[in-house]
Amino acid sequence: DGAGLDLDMTGDLVWPTATIFCRYLCDRAPELLRDKRVMDLGAGTGLVGLVARQLGCTSVTLTDVPRVLPLLEENVAGMNSAGCDTVAAPLWWGDKAACEKLVAQRGS
């Protein structure tokens, strides 16, 4: 009947490209992230941002649409410990005011 087919589940999956990017960061580029601030837009499960966190970032902000936030917050909570300020925040792509506010709060 098509019921529920309009629900976007992209934020609930770890995409193959996320896994490949994480492998690249771990194998070839950990020095790029050490002591940096990272903002992951459309973080989904948070895998890339959480890997960045483990590679020495000082701050990681993971964003996604509000529907995805509970899973993202749970994953962040499971990782939070001393050493890196890590938060999950709601963000709709294209919402310029919200982007500017988030950058002002969590950016440079």
Side-chain angles (χ1 to χ4, degrees):
D1 67 12
L5 291 180
D6 60 343
L7 181 61
D8 181 4
M9 300 298 288
T10 56
D12 300 300
L13 307 170
V14 174
W15 290 85
T17 52
T19 304
I20 292 166
F21 187 48
C22 288
R23 173 63 57 201
Y24 171 80
L25 291 173
C26 290
D27 289 348
R28 296 187 181 90
E31 67 282 352
L32 292 176
L33 298 171
R34 195 168 299 114
D35 299 322
K36 300 290 192 280
R37 299 170 67 86
V38 170
M39 186 174 291
D40 187 355
L41 304 174
T45 63
L47 177 64
V48 173
L50 294 173
V51 166
R53 178 192 186 285
Q54 293 300 105
L55 292 174
C57 289
T58 59
S59 172
V60 176
T61 304
L62 305 164
T63 69
D64 215 313
V65 297
R67 184 194 68 73
V68 177
L69 230 48
L71 174 62
L72 191 52
E73 288 171 337
E74 184 178 331
N75 291 342
V76 167
M79 293 290 293
N80 260 343
S81 61
C84 183
D85 174 31
T86 308
V87 300
L91 185 66
W92 284 101
W93 289 28
D95 185 340
K96 185 177 179 180
C99 288
E100 290 171 351
K101 181 179 176 183
L102 190 58
V103 168
Q105 291 171 342
R106 301 284 303 167
S108 61

Coordinates of all heavy atoms in Angstrom, one line a residue:
D1 N 0.8 -1.2 0.0 CA 0.0 0.0 0.0 C 0.9 1.3 0.0 O 0.3 2.4 -0.1 CB -1.0 0.0 1.2 CG -0.3 0.1 2.5 OD1 0.9 0.4 2.6 OD2 -1.0 -0.1 3.5
G2 N 2.2 1.2 0.2 CA 3.0 2.3 0.1 C 3.2 3.0 1.4 O 3.9 4.0 1.5
A3 N 2.5 2.6 2.5 CA 2.5 3.3 3.8 C 4.0 3.2 4.3 O 4.6 2.2 4.3 CB 1.6 2.7 4.8
G4 N 4.5 4.4 4.7 CA 5.8 4.4 5.3 C 7.0 4.5 4.3 O 8.1 4.6 4.7
L5 N 6.7 4.4 3.0 CA 7.7 4.5 2.0 C 8.4 5.9 1.9 O 9.4 6.0 1.3 CB 7.2 4.0 0.7 CG 6.9 2.5 0.6 CD1 6.4 2.2 -0.8 CD2 8.1 1.7 0.9
D6 N 7.7 6.9 2.4 CA 8.2 8.2 2.3 C 9.2 8.5 3.5 O 9.8 9.6 3.5 CB 7.1 9.2 2.3 CG 6.2 9.2 3.5 OD1 6.3 8.2 4.3 OD2 5.5 10.2 3.8
L7 N 9.5 7.6 4.4 CA 10.4 7.9 5.5 C 11.8 7.7 5.0 O 12.2 6.6 4.5 CB 10.1 6.9 6.6 CG 10.9 7.0 7.9 CD1 10.7 8.4 8.5 CD2 10.6 5.9 8.9
D8 N 12.6 8.7 5.2 CA 14.0 8.7 4.8 C 14.8 8.1 5.9 O 14.9 8.6 7.0 CB 14.4 10.2 4.6 CG 15.9 10.2 4.1 OD1 16.5 9.2 3.9 OD2 16.4 11.4 4.0
M9 N 15.4 7.0 5.6 CA 16.2 6.2 6.6 C 17.7 6.4 6.4 O 18.5 5.7 7.0 CB 15.9 4.7 6.5 CG 14.4 4.4 6.7 SD 13.9 4.8 8.4 CE 14.7 3.5 9.3
T10 N 18.1 7.4 5.6 CA 19.6 7.5 5.3 C 20.4 7.8 6.6 O 21.6 7.3 6.6 CB 19.8 8.6 4.3 OG1 19.3 9.8 4.8 CG2 19.3 8.3 2.9
G11 N 19.9 8.4 7.6 CA 20.6 8.7 8.8 C 20.8 7.6 9.7 O 21.5 7.6 10.7
D12 N 20.1 6.5 9.4 CA 20.1 5.3 10.3 C 21.1 4.2 9.8 O 21.2 3.2 10.5 CB 18.7 4.6 10.3 CG 17.7 5.6 10.9 OD1 17.9 6.1 12.0 OD2 16.8 5.9 10.2
L13 N 21.9 4.5 8.8 CA 22.8 3.5 8.2 C 24.2 4.0 8.2 O 24.4 5.2 8.1 CB 22.4 3.3 6.7 CG 21.0 2.9 6.4 CD1 20.7 3.0 4.9 CD2 20.6 1.6 6.9
V14 N 25.1 3.1 8.3 CA 26.5 3.5 8.1 C 26.8 3.2 6.6 O 26.7 2.0 6.2 CB 27.5 2.6 9.0 CG1 28.9 2.9 8.6 CG2 27.2 2.9 10.4
W15 N 27.0 4.2 5.9 CA 27.2 4.1 4.4 C 28.6 3.6 4.1 O 29.6 3.9 4.8 CB 27.0 5.4 3.8 CG 25.5 5.8 3.8 CD1 24.9 6.4 4.8 CD2 24.6 5.5 2.8 NE1 23.6 6.5 4.5 CE2 23.3 6.0 3.3 CE3 24.6 4.9 1.6 CZ2 22.2 5.9 2.6 CZ3 23.4 4.8 0.9 CH2 22.2 5.3 1.4
P16 N 28.8 2.8 3.0 CA 30.1 2.3 2.7 C 31.2 3.4 2.6 O 32.3 3.2 3.0 CB 29.9 1.6 1.4 CG 28.5 1.2 1.4 CD 27.8 2.3 2.1
T17 N 30.8 4.6 2.0 CA 31.7 5.7 1.9 C 32.2 6.2 3.3 O 33.4 6.6 3.4 CB 31.1 6.8 1.1 OG1 29.9 7.2 1.7 CG2 30.9 6.5 -0.4
A18 N 31.4 6.1 4.3 CA 31.8 6.5 5.6 C 32.9 5.6 6.1 O 33.9 6.0 6.7 CB 30.6 6.5 6.6
T19 N 32.7 4.3 5.9 CA 33.7 3.3 6.3 C 35.0 3.5 5.6 O 36.1 3.5 6.2 CB 33.2 1.9 6.1 OG1 31.9 1.8 6.8 CG2 34.1 0.9 6.6
I20 N 34.9 3.8 4.3 CA 36.1 4.0 3.5 C 36.9 5.3 4.0 O 38.1 5.3 4.1 CB 35.8 4.1 2.0 CG1 35.3 2.7 1.5 CG2 37.0 4.6 1.2 CD1 34.6 2.7 0.2
F21 N 36.1 6.3 4.2 CA 36.7 7.6 4.7 C 37.3 7.4 6.0 O 38.4 7.9 6.3 CB 35.6 8.7 4.7 CG 36.2 10.1 5.0 CD1 37.3 10.5 4.3 CD2 35.6 10.9 5.9 CE1 37.8 11.8 4.6 CE2 36.1 12.1 6.2 CZ 37.2 12.6 5.5
C22 N 36.7 6.7 6.9 CA 37.3 6.4 8.2 C 38.6 5.6 8.1 O 39.6 6.0 8.8 CB 36.3 5.6 9.1 SG 34.9 6.6 9.7
R23 N 38.6 4.7 7.2 CA 39.8 3.9 7.0 C 40.9 4.8 6.5 O 42.1 4.7 7.0 CB 39.6 2.8 6.0 CG 40.8 2.0 5.6 CD 41.5 1.3 6.7 NE 40.6 0.3 7.4 CZ 40.9 -0.1 8.6 NH1 41.9 0.2 9.2 NH2 40.0 -0.9 9.1
Y24 N 40.6 5.7 5.6 CA 41.6 6.7 5.0 C 42.1 7.5 6.2 O 43.3 7.7 6.3 CB 41.0 7.5 4.0 CG 41.9 8.7 3.5 CD1 42.9 8.5 2.7 CD2 41.7 9.9 4.1 CE1 43.7 9.5 2.3 CE2 42.5 11.0 3.7 CZ 43.5 10.8 2.8 OH 44.4 11.8 2.5
L25 N 41.2 8.1 7.0 CA 41.7 8.9 8.1 C 42.6 8.2 9.1 O 43.6 8.7 9.5 CB 40.5 9.5 8.8 CG 39.6 10.5 8.1 CD1 38.4 10.9 8.9 CD2 40.4 11.8 7.7
C26 N 42.2 7.0 9.4 CA 43.0 6.2 10.3 C 44.4 5.8 9.7 O 45.4 5.9 10.4 CB 42.3 4.9 10.7 SG 40.9 5.3 11.8
D27 N 44.4 5.4 8.5 CA 45.6 4.9 7.9 C 46.6 6.0 7.4 O 47.8 5.9 7.4 CB 45.3 4.0 6.7 CG 44.7 2.7 7.1 OD1 44.8 2.4 8.3 OD2 44.2 2.0 6.2
R28 N 46.0 7.1 6.8 CA 46.8 8.1 6.1 C 46.8 9.5 6.6 O 47.6 10.3 6.2 CB 46.4 8.0 4.6 CG 46.7 6.7 4.0 CD 46.5 6.8 2.5 NE 46.7 5.5 1.9 CZ 45.8 4.5 1.8 NH1 44.6 4.7 2.2 NH2 46.1 3.4 1.2
A29 N 45.8 9.8 7.5 CA 45.7 11.2 7.8 C 45.4 11.6 9.2 O 44.8 12.6 9.5 CB 44.6 11.8 6.9
P30 N 45.8 10.8 10.2 CA 45.4 11.2 11.5 C 46.0 12.5 12.0 O 45.4 13.2 12.8 CB 46.0 10.0 12.4 CG 47.0 9.3 11.5 CD 46.5 9.5 10.1
E31 N 47.2 12.9 11.4 CA 47.8 14.1 11.8 C 46.9 15.3 11.3 O 47.0 16.4 11.9 CB 49.2 14.3 11.2 CG 49.3 14.3 9.7 CD 49.1 13.0 9.0 OE1 49.1 11.9 9.6 OE2 49.1 13.0 7.7
L32 N 46.1 15.1 10.3 CA 45.2 16.2 9.8 C 44.2 16.6 10.9 O 43.7 17.7 10.9 CB 44.4 15.8 8.6 CG 45.3 15.6 7.3 CD1 44.4 15.1 6.2 CD2 45.9 16.9 6.9
L33 N 43.8 15.7 11.8 CA 42.8 15.9 12.8 C 43.3 16.3 14.2 O 42.5 16.9 14.9 CB 41.9 14.7 12.9 CG 41.2 14.3 11.6 CD1 40.5 13.0 11.7 CD2 40.2 15.4 11.2
R34 N 44.5 16.0 14.4 CA 45.0 16.2 15.8 C 44.9 17.7 16.2 O 45.3 18.6 15.4 CB 46.5 15.8 15.9 CG 47.0 15.6 17.3 CD 48.4 14.9 17.3 NE 48.2 13.5 16.8 CZ 48.8 13.1 15.7 NH1 49.6 13.9 15.0 NH2 48.7 11.9 15.3
D35 N 44.3 18.0 17.3 CA 44.1 19.3 17.9 C 43.2 20.2 17.0 O 43.3 21.4 17.1 CB 45.5 20.0 18.1 CG 46.3 19.2 19.1 OD1 45.7 18.7 20.1 OD2 47.5 19.1 18.9
K36 N 42.4 19.6 16.2 CA 41.5 20.4 15.3 C 40.0 20.3 15.9 O 39.7 19.5 16.7 CB 41.5 19.8 13.9 CG 42.8 19.9 13.2 CD 43.2 21.3 12.9 CE 44.4 21.4 12.0 NZ 45.7 21.2 12.6
R37 N 39.2 21.3 15.4 CA 37.8 21.3 15.7 C 37.1 20.8 14.4 O 37.4 21.2 13.3 CB 37.3 22.7 16.0 CG 38.0 23.2 17.2 CD 37.7 24.7 17.4 NE 36.3 25.0 17.7 CZ 35.8 24.9 18.9 NH1 36.6 24.7 20.0 NH2 34.5 25.2 19.1
V38 N 36.2 19.8 14.5 CA 35.5 19.2 13.4 C 34.0 19.3 13.5 O 33.4 19.2 14.6 CB 35.8 17.7 13.3 CG1 35.0 16.9 12.3 CG2 37.3 17.5 13.0
M39 N 33.3 19.7 12.4 CA 31.9 19.7 12.4 C 31.4 18.7 11.2 O 31.8 18.9 10.1 CB 31.3 21.1 12.1 CG 29.8 21.1 12.2 SD 29.1 22.8 12.1 CE 29.7 23.5 13.6
D40 N 30.7 17.7 11.6 CA 30.3 16.7 10.7 C 28.8 17.0 10.3 O 27.9 16.8 11.1 CB 30.4 15.3 11.3 CG 30.1 14.2 10.4 OD1 29.7 14.4 9.2 OD2 30.3 13.0 10.8
L41 N 28.6 17.4 9.1 CA 27.2 17.7 8.6 C 26.5 16.5 8.1 O 27.1 15.8 7.2 CB 27.3 18.8 7.5 CG 28.0 20.1 7.9 CD1 28.1 21.0 6.7 CD2 27.3 20.8 9.1
G42 N 25.3 16.2 8.5 CA 24.6 15.0 8.1 C 25.3 13.8 8.6 O 25.6 12.8 7.9
A43 N 25.7 13.8 9.9 CA 26.5 12.8 10.5 C 25.9 11.4 10.6 O 26.6 10.4 10.7 CB 26.9 13.2 11.9
G44 N 24.5 11.3 10.5 CA 23.9 10.0 10.6 C 24.2 9.3 11.9 O 23.9 9.8 13.0
T45 N 24.8 8.2 11.9 CA 25.2 7.4 13.1 C 26.3 8.1 13.8 O 26.6 7.7 15.0 CB 25.6 6.0 12.7 OG1 26.7 6.0 11.9 CG2 24.4 5.3 12.0
G46 N 27.1 8.9 13.2 CA 28.2 9.6 13.8 C 29.5 9.0 13.6 O 30.5 9.4 14.2
L47 N 29.6 7.9 12.8 CA 30.8 7.1 12.7 C 32.0 8.0 12.3 O 33.1 8.0 13.0 CB 30.7 6.0 11.7 CG 32.0 5.2 11.4 CD1 32.4 4.5 12.6 CD2 31.8 4.3 10.2
V48 N 32.0 8.8 11.3 CA 33.1 9.6 10.9 C 33.5 10.6 11.9 O 34.7 10.7 12.3 CB 32.8 10.3 9.5 CG1 34.0 11.3 9.2 CG2 32.6 9.3 8.4
G49 N 32.6 11.3 12.5 CA 32.9 12.3 13.6 C 33.5 11.6 14.8 O 34.4 12.1 15.4
L50 N 33.0 10.4 15.2 CA 33.5 9.7 16.3 C 34.9 9.2 16.1 O 35.8 9.1 17.0 CB 32.6 8.7 16.8 CG 31.2 9.2 17.3 CD1 30.3 8.1 17.6 CD2 31.5 10.1 18.6
V51 N 35.2 8.8 14.8 CA 36.6 8.4 14.5 C 37.5 9.6 14.6 O 38.6 9.5 15.1 CB 36.6 7.7 13.1 CG1 38.0 7.6 12.6 CG2 35.9 6.3 13.2
A52 N 37.0 10.7 14.0 CA 37.8 11.9 14.1 C 38.1 12.3 15.6 O 39.3 12.7 15.9 CB 37.1 13.1 13.4
R53 N 37.2 12.1 16.4 CA 37.4 12.3 17.9 C 38.5 11.4 18.4 O 39.3 11.9 19.2 CB 36.0 12.0 18.6 CG 36.1 12.2 20.1 CD 34.8 11.5 20.7 NE 34.8 11.8 22.1 CZ 35.5 11.2 23.0 NH1 36.4 10.3 22.7 NH2 35.4 11.5 24.3
Q54 N 38.5 10.2 18.0 CA 39.5 9.2 18.5 C 40.9 9.5 18.0 O 41.9 9.1 18.6 CB 39.1 7.8 18.2 CG 37.9 7.3 18.9 CD 38.0 7.3 20.4 OE1 37.5 8.2 21.1 NE2 38.8 6.4 20.9
L55 N 40.9 10.3 16.9 CA 42.2 10.6 16.3 C 42.8 11.9 16.8 O 43.8 12.4 16.2 CB 42.1 10.6 14.7 CG 41.8 9.3 14.1 CD1 41.5 9.4 12.6 CD2 43.0 8.3 14.4
G56 N 42.2 12.5 17.8 CA 42.8 13.6 18.5 C 42.2 15.0 18.3 O 42.8 16.0 18.7
C57 N 41.0 15.0 17.8 CA 40.3 16.3 17.7 C 40.1 16.9 19.1 O 39.9 16.2 20.1 CB 39.0 16.2 17.0 SG 39.2 15.9 15.3
T58 N 40.1 18.2 19.2 CA 39.7 18.9 20.5 C 38.2 19.1 20.6 O 37.7 19.2 21.8 CB 40.4 20.2 20.6 OG1 40.0 21.1 19.5 CG2 41.9 20.0 20.6
S59 N 37.5 19.1 19.5 CA 36.1 19.4 19.5 C 35.5 18.7 18.3 O 36.0 18.9 17.2 CB 35.8 20.9 19.5 OG 34.4 21.2 19.4
V60 N 34.3 18.0 18.5 CA 33.6 17.4 17.4 C 32.1 17.8 17.6 O 31.5 17.5 18.6 CB 33.8 15.9 17.3 CG1 32.9 15.3 16.2 CG2 35.2 15.6 17.1
T61 N 31.5 18.3 16.5 CA 30.1 18.6 16.5 C 29.5 17.8 15.4 O 29.9 17.9 14.2 CB 29.8 20.1 16.2 OG1 30.5 20.9 17.2 CG2 28.3 20.4 16.3
L62 N 28.6 16.9 15.8 CA 27.9 16.0 14.8 C 26.5 16.6 14.6 O 25.7 16.8 15.6 CB 27.8 14.6 15.4 CG 29.2 14.0 15.8 CD1 29.0 12.8 16.7 CD2 30.0 13.7 14.6
T63 N 26.1 16.8 13.4 CA 24.8 17.3 13.1 C 24.0 16.4 12.2 O 24.5 15.7 11.4 CB 24.9 18.7 12.4 OG1 25.4 18.6 11.1 CG2 25.8 19.7 13.2
D64 N 22.7 16.5 12.4 CA 21.8 15.8 11.5 C 20.4 16.3 11.7 O 20.2 17.1 12.7 CB 21.8 14.3 11.6 CG 21.6 13.6 10.2 OD1 20.6 14.0 9.5 OD2 22.4 12.8 9.9
V65 N 19.4 15.9 11.0 CA 18.0 16.3 11.2 C 17.5 15.8 12.5 O 18.0 14.8 13.0 CB 17.1 15.8 10.0 CG1 17.6 16.5 8.7 CG2 17.1 14.3 9.9
P66 N 16.5 16.5 13.1 CA 16.0 16.1 14.4 C 15.6 14.6 14.5 O 15.8 14.0 15.6 CB 14.8 17.0 14.6 CG 15.2 18.2 13.8 CD 15.9 17.7 12.6
R67 N 15.1 14.0 13.5 CA 14.6 12.6 13.5 C 15.8 11.7 13.9 O 15.6 10.6 14.5 CB 14.0 12.2 12.2 CG 13.4 10.7 12.3 CD 13.1 10.2 10.9 NE 14.2 9.9 10.1 CZ 15.1 8.9 10.2 NH1 15.0 8.1 11.2 NH2 16.1 8.8 9.4
V68 N 17.0 12.0 13.4 CA 18.2 11.2 13.6 C 18.9 11.4 14.9 O 19.6 10.6 15.4 CB 19.1 11.4 12.4 CG1 20.4 10.6 12.5 CG2 18.4 11.0 11.1
L69 N 18.6 12.5 15.6 CA 19.3 12.9 16.7 C 19.3 11.9 17.9 O 20.4 11.8 18.5 CB 18.8 14.3 17.2 CG 19.9 15.3 17.5 CD1 20.9 15.4 16.4 CD2 19.3 16.6 17.8
P70 N 18.2 11.2 18.2 CA 18.3 10.3 19.3 C 19.4 9.2 19.2 O 20.2 9.0 20.1 CB 16.9 9.7 19.4 CG 16.0 10.7 18.8 CD 16.9 11.4 17.7
L71 N 19.5 8.6 18.0 CA 20.6 7.7 17.8 C 22.0 8.3 17.8 O 22.9 7.8 18.5 CB 20.4 7.0 16.4 CG 21.5 6.0 15.9 CD1 21.7 4.9 16.9 CD2 21.3 5.6 14.5
L72 N 22.1 9.5 17.2 CA 23.4 10.2 17.2 C 23.8 10.6 18.7 O 24.9 10.4 19.1 CB 23.2 11.5 16.4 CG 24.5 12.2 16.0 CD1 25.5 11.3 15.4 CD2 24.1 13.4 15.1
E73 N 22.8 11.1 19.5 CA 23.1 11.4 20.9 C 23.5 10.2 21.7 O 24.4 10.2 22.5 CB 21.9 12.1 21.5 CG 21.7 13.5 21.0 CD 20.4 14.1 21.4 OE1 19.4 13.4 21.8 OE2 20.3 15.3 21.4
E74 N 22.9 9.1 21.4 CA 23.2 7.8 22.1 C 24.6 7.4 21.8 O 25.4 7.0 22.7 CB 22.2 6.7 21.7 CG 22.4 5.4 22.5 CD 21.4 4.4 22.1 OE1 20.3 4.7 21.8 OE2 21.8 3.2 22.2
N75 N 25.0 7.5 20.5 CA 26.4 7.1 20.1 C 27.4 8.1 20.7 O 28.5 7.6 21.1 CB 26.5 7.1 18.6 CG 25.7 5.9 18.0 OD1 25.3 5.0 18.7 ND2 25.4 6.0 16.7
V76 N 27.1 9.3 20.8 CA 28.0 10.3 21.4 C 28.2 10.0 22.9 O 29.3 10.0 23.4 CB 27.5 11.8 21.1 CG1 28.3 12.7 22.0 CG2 27.7 12.1 19.6
A77 N 27.0 9.8 23.5 CA 27.1 9.5 25.0 C 27.9 8.3 25.3 O 28.6 8.2 26.3 CB 25.7 9.3 25.5
G78 N 27.9 7.3 24.4 CA 28.8 6.1 24.6 C 30.2 6.4 24.5 O 31.1 5.6 24.9
M79 N 30.6 7.5 23.9 CA 32.0 7.8 23.6 C 32.5 8.9 24.5 O 33.7 9.1 24.6 CB 32.2 8.3 22.2 CG 31.9 7.2 21.1 SD 33.2 6.0 21.1 CE 34.6 6.9 20.5
N80 N 31.7 9.7 25.1 CA 32.1 10.9 25.8 C 33.0 10.5 27.0 O 32.6 9.8 27.9 CB 31.0 11.8 26.3 CG 30.8 12.9 25.3 OD1 31.7 13.3 24.6 ND2 29.7 13.6 25.4
S81 N 34.2 11.1 27.0 CA 35.1 11.0 28.1 C 36.0 12.2 28.0 O 36.0 12.9 27.1 CB 35.9 9.6 28.1 OG 36.6 9.6 26.9
A82 N 36.9 12.3 28.9 CA 37.9 13.4 28.9 C 38.7 13.5 27.6 O 38.9 12.5 27.0 CB 38.8 13.3 30.1
G83 N 39.0 14.7 27.2 CA 39.9 14.9 26.1 C 39.3 15.5 24.8 O 40.0 16.1 24.1
C84 N 38.0 15.3 24.6 CA 37.4 15.9 23.4 C 36.0 16.3 23.7 O 35.1 15.5 24.1 CB 37.4 14.9 22.3 SG 36.8 15.6 20.7
D85 N 35.6 17.5 23.5 CA 34.3 18.1 23.6 C 33.5 17.6 22.4 O 33.7 18.0 21.3 CB 34.4 19.6 23.7 CG 33.0 20.3 23.7 OD1 32.1 19.7 24.2 OD2 32.9 21.4 23.2
T86 N 32.5 16.7 22.6 CA 31.8 16.1 21.5 C 30.3 16.3 21.8 O 29.8 15.9 22.9 CB 32.1 14.6 21.4 OG1 33.5 14.4 21.3 CG2 31.4 14.0 20.1
V87 N 29.6 16.9 20.8 CA 28.1 17.1 21.0 C 27.4 16.7 19.7 O 28.0 16.8 18.6 CB 27.8 18.5 21.3 CG1 28.4 18.9 22.7 CG2 28.1 19.5 20.3
A88 N 26.1 16.4 19.8 CA 25.2 16.2 18.7 C 24.3 17.3 18.7 O 23.8 17.7 19.7 CB 24.5 14.8 18.8
A89 N 24.0 17.9 17.5 CA 23.1 19.0 17.4 C 22.2 18.9 16.2 O 22.6 18.4 15.1 CB 23.9 20.3 17.3
P90 N 20.9 19.3 16.3 CA 20.1 19.3 15.1 C 20.4 20.4 14.1 O 20.8 21.5 14.5 CB 18.7 19.6 15.7 CG 19.0 20.5 16.9 CD 20.3 19.9 17.4
L91 N 20.3 20.0 12.8 CA 20.6 21.0 11.8 C 19.9 20.5 10.5 O 20.2 19.4 10.0 CB 22.1 21.1 11.5 CG 22.5 22.2 10.5 CD1 22.1 23.6 11.1 CD2 24.0 22.2 10.3
W92 N 19.1 21.4 9.9 CA 18.5 21.1 8.6 C 19.4 21.8 7.6 O 19.7 23.0 7.7 CB 17.1 21.8 8.5 CG 16.0 21.0 9.2 CD1 15.5 21.3 10.4 CD2 15.4 19.8 8.7 NE1 14.5 20.3 10.7 CE2 14.4 19.4 9.7 CE3 15.5 19.1 7.5 CZ2 13.6 18.3 9.5 CZ3 14.7 17.9 7.4 CH2 13.8 17.6 8.4
W93 N 19.8 21.1 6.6 CA 20.6 21.6 5.5 C 19.8 22.7 4.8 O 18.6 22.6 4.6 CB 21.0 20.6 4.5 CG 21.9 19.5 5.0 CD1 22.1 19.1 6.3 CD2 22.8 18.8 4.2 NE1 23.1 18.2 6.3 CE2 23.6 17.9 5.1 CE3 23.1 18.8 2.8 CZ2 24.5 17.1 4.6 CZ3 24.1 17.9 2.4 CH2 24.8 17.1 3.3
G94 N 20.5 23.8 4.6 CA 19.9 25.0 3.9 C 19.3 26.0 4.9 O 18.9 27.1 4.4
D95 N 19.3 25.7 6.2 CA 18.8 26.7 7.1 C 20.0 27.6 7.5 O 20.7 27.3 8.5 CB 18.2 25.9 8.4 CG 17.6 26.9 9.4 OD1 17.9 28.1 9.4 OD2 16.8 26.4 10.2
K96 N 20.1 28.7 6.8 CA 21.3 29.5 6.9 C 21.4 30.1 8.4 O 22.5 30.1 8.9 CB 21.2 30.7 5.9 CG 22.4 31.5 5.9 CD 22.4 32.6 4.9 CE 23.6 33.5 5.0 NZ 23.6 34.5 4.0
A97 N 20.3 30.5 8.9 CA 20.3 31.1 10.3 C 20.8 30.1 11.3 O 21.6 30.4 12.2 CB 19.0 31.6 10.7
A98 N 20.3 28.8 11.2 CA 20.7 27.8 12.1 C 22.2 27.4 11.9 O 22.9 27.2 12.9 CB 19.8 26.5 11.9
C99 N 22.6 27.4 10.7 CA 24.1 27.1 10.4 C 24.9 28.2 11.0 O 25.9 27.9 11.7 CB 24.3 27.1 8.9 SG 23.7 25.6 8.1
E100 N 24.6 29.5 10.9 CA 25.4 30.6 11.4 C 25.4 30.5 12.9 O 26.4 30.7 13.6 CB 24.8 31.9 10.9 CG 25.1 32.1 9.5 CD 24.4 33.4 8.9 OE1 23.5 34.0 9.6 OE2 24.7 33.7 7.7
K101 N 24.2 30.2 13.5 CA 24.2 30.0 15.0 C 25.1 28.9 15.5 O 25.8 29.1 16.5 CB 22.7 29.8 15.4 CG 22.6 29.7 16.9 CD 21.1 29.5 17.3 CE 20.9 29.3 18.8 NZ 19.5 29.0 19.2
L102 N 25.0 27.8 14.8 CA 25.8 26.6 15.2 C 27.3 26.9 15.1 O 28.1 26.6 16.0 CB 25.4 25.4 14.4 CG 26.0 24.1 14.9 CD1 25.7 23.8 16.4 CD2 25.6 22.9 14.0
V103 N 27.7 27.6 14.0 CA 29.1 27.9 13.8 C 29.5 28.9 14.9 O 30.6 28.8 15.4 CB 29.4 28.5 12.4 CG1 30.7 29.1 12.3 CG2 29.2 27.4 11.4
A104 N 28.7 29.9 15.2 CA 29.0 30.8 16.3 C 29.2 30.1 17.6 O 30.1 30.5 18.4 CB 27.9 31.9 16.4
Q105 N 28.4 29.1 17.9 CA 28.5 28.4 19.2 C 29.7 27.4 19.2 O 30.3 27.3 20.2 CB 27.2 27.6 19.4 CG 26.0 28.5 19.7 CD 24.7 27.6 19.7 OE1 24.7 26.5 19.2 NE2 23.7 28.2 20.3
R106 N 29.9 26.7 18.1 CA 30.8 25.6 18.1 C 32.0 25.8 17.2 O 32.9 25.0 17.2 CB 30.1 24.3 17.7 CG 28.9 23.9 18.5 CD 29.3 23.3 19.8 NE 30.2 22.1 19.6 CZ 30.9 21.6 20.6 NH1 30.8 22.0 21.8 NH2 31.6 20.5 20.3
G107 N 31.9 26.8 16.3 CA 33.0 27.0 15.4 C 34.3 27.5 16.0 O 34.5 27.3 17.2
S108 N 35.0 28.3 15.2 CA 36.3 28.8 15.7 C 36.2 29.4 17.0 O 37.0 29.3 17.9 CB 36.9 29.8 14.7 OG 36.0 30.9 14.6

